[in-house]
């Protein structure tokens, strides 16, 4: 199996794409909650047709989105702290 990929060119991985991660996750979370609220008045129809899981999927998406917002805000804050503070070299040993 190793010989199968031996002719592949070797090159560095590209830099990760960064964008407005917090805004994207917040927007997605809001969308999930809006979909949940829009479906609530039709709960009886969803129940009659066996599609109640659509309603609860939207609620679960919104709930998981709240966890995602918490995560990406902490990640964004950590990245900003890392850019502000210069990396510190370890102190030379005292002899």
């Amino acid at each position: 199996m190793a010989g199968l990929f031996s002719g592949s060119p070797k090159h560095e991985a590209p830099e990760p794409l960064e964008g407005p991660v917090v805004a994207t996750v917040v927007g997605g979370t809001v969308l999930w909650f809006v979909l949940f609220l829009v479906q609530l008045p039709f709960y009886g129809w969803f129940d009659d047709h066996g599609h109640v899981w659509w309603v609860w999927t939207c609620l679960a998406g919104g709930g998981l989105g709240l966890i995602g917002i918490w995560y990406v805000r902490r990640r964004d804050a950590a990245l900003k702290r890392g850019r502000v503070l210069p990396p510190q070299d370890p102190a030379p040993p005292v002899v």
Side-chain angles (χ1 to χ4, degrees):
M1 188 75 165
L4 181 64
F5 298 107
S6 63
S8 299
K10 306 261 188 241
H11 59 302
E12 290 186 35
E15 290 292 320
L17 296 175
E18 288 292 333
V21 179
V22 175
T24 303
V25 174
V26 168
T29 303
V30 168
L31 182 63
W32 280 114
F33 278 124
V34 167
L35 288 171
F36 171 72
L37 293 174
V38 166
Q39 291 178 352
L40 272 182
F42 305 102
Y43 189 86
W45 183 89
F46 286 111
D47 192 28
D48 293 343
H49 292 85
H51 296 302
V52 176
W53 65 272
W54 289 6
V55 177
W56 300 120
T57 298
C58 292
L59 183 61
L64 291 172
L66 292 175
I67 296 169
I69 291 170
W70 172 79
Y71 178 82
V72 297
R73 288 189 65 193
R74 288 192 53 169
R75 177 184 177 271
D76 193 46
L79 289 173
K80 286 179 183 174
R81 278 193 312 270
R83 283 190 291 249
V84 171
L85 299 175
Q88 297 179 358
D89 293 329
V94 178
V95 181

